[in-house]
Amino acid sequence: MSPGLIFAVFAIAAIALAVFYLFFYRRWRRRRELQRPFPPQWRALLAERVPLYNRLPSHLKTDLEQRVQLFLSEKDFYGCDGFEVDDTVRLTIAGHACLLILGRSYSNYDEVRSILVYPSAYHVTEPRHNGMIVDTAHEVRAGEASSMGQVVLSWDDCESGALSPDSHHNVILHEFAHQLDYLDGSADGAPPLAGAQAQHWQQTMSEAYAHLQQSLSQRQTSWLDPYGATEPAEFFAVLTETFFQQPAHLFAEQPKVYETLCGFYRINPLDYF
């Protein structure tokens, strides 16, 4: 057999293996995982740590449990700076993260591979370029998301958001909104949409973003956490926090934005408040 033919055979085999993994093995593995009973202690932790879970009808509770079950079976959790990741940590993070895909496909999180959890806000040192000058920037962060499938979280901030469900801030919702934003390859405040939905999103969100920046420049009371005015990606993430934590407020202030988010997340949180 010629080298070219051997290469072609190996290439075909590799493609066939990839197709099997993407379309058959993963689906089979997930079906098998969902055949396992959902542990009662996990259900109790969701009820304690994900307040919206308690308000959902039974079929949506089941849907959320299934997404959480897959999430915990597929994503790696790592404790940083000596932090110990236990079931409370895992269920708190997975429960809130999966709220974002309760009306969407679980495959939206296929690229999320690992969650790093620090005990509290952590320090980050990064090079900063200013023309020909390179210096070092020091930041304190509560969380961050990466296009490489990694989410970093501060547990203190995670717990604060979970135990204060009516507050405007929830770092888990925020960072996993960034992960959805990355689905089209870049975090630009516009998750992947098509056709008329994409045009409607662009018009609605652009107007709301400009309105937020204008109200802040005029020192008016902001209808959204001012951090959302820093860039479109943060606008989407902060809107997501408010959509799930304070839906009545967002609907009252920006009904078009609220309805647009309902269309994207395929769920209306006001139905459960």
Side-chain angles (χ1 to χ4, degrees), residues 50-57 60 96 98-104 165-167 173 238-252 254-255 257-273:
V50 187
L52 185 55
Y53 170 81
N54 297 307
R55 305 185 185 118
L56 296 174
L60 286 182
H96 283 89
C98 289
L99 282 177
L100 303 192
I101 56 167
L102 185 54
R104 299 182 58 81
D166 298 326
S167 70
L173 299 178
V238 172
L239 277 177
T240 295
E241 294 178 77
T242 308
F243 180 70
F244 284 97
Q245 299 269 114
Q246 299 178 325
H249 167 73
L250 183 58
F251 180 74
Q254 292 285 331
V257 169
Y258 185 85
E259 290 167 3
T260 301
L261 289 171
C262 285
F264 175 71
Y265 284 113
R266 302 168 193 167
I267 189 172
N268 184 352
L270 278 176
D271 289 342
Y272 314 112
F273 275 79

Side-chain angles (χ1 to χ4, degrees), residues 82-101:
F83 183 72
E84 182 178 347
V85 174
D86 59 15
D87 276 355
T88 298
V89 174
R90 284 155 46 88
L91 266 295
T92 300
I93 294 172
H96 283 89
C98 289
L99 282 177
L100 303 192
I101 56 167

Side-chain angles (χ1 to χ4, degrees), residues 92-120:
T92 300
I93 294 172
H96 283 89
C98 289
L99 282 177
L100 303 192
I101 56 167
L102 185 54
R104 299 182 58 81
S105 169
Y106 176 78
S107 64
N108 283 181
Y109 283 162
D110 281 353
E111 299 305 314
V112 177
R113 297 180 178 86
S114 58
I115 296 93
L116 281 64
V117 188
Y118 283 85
S120 57

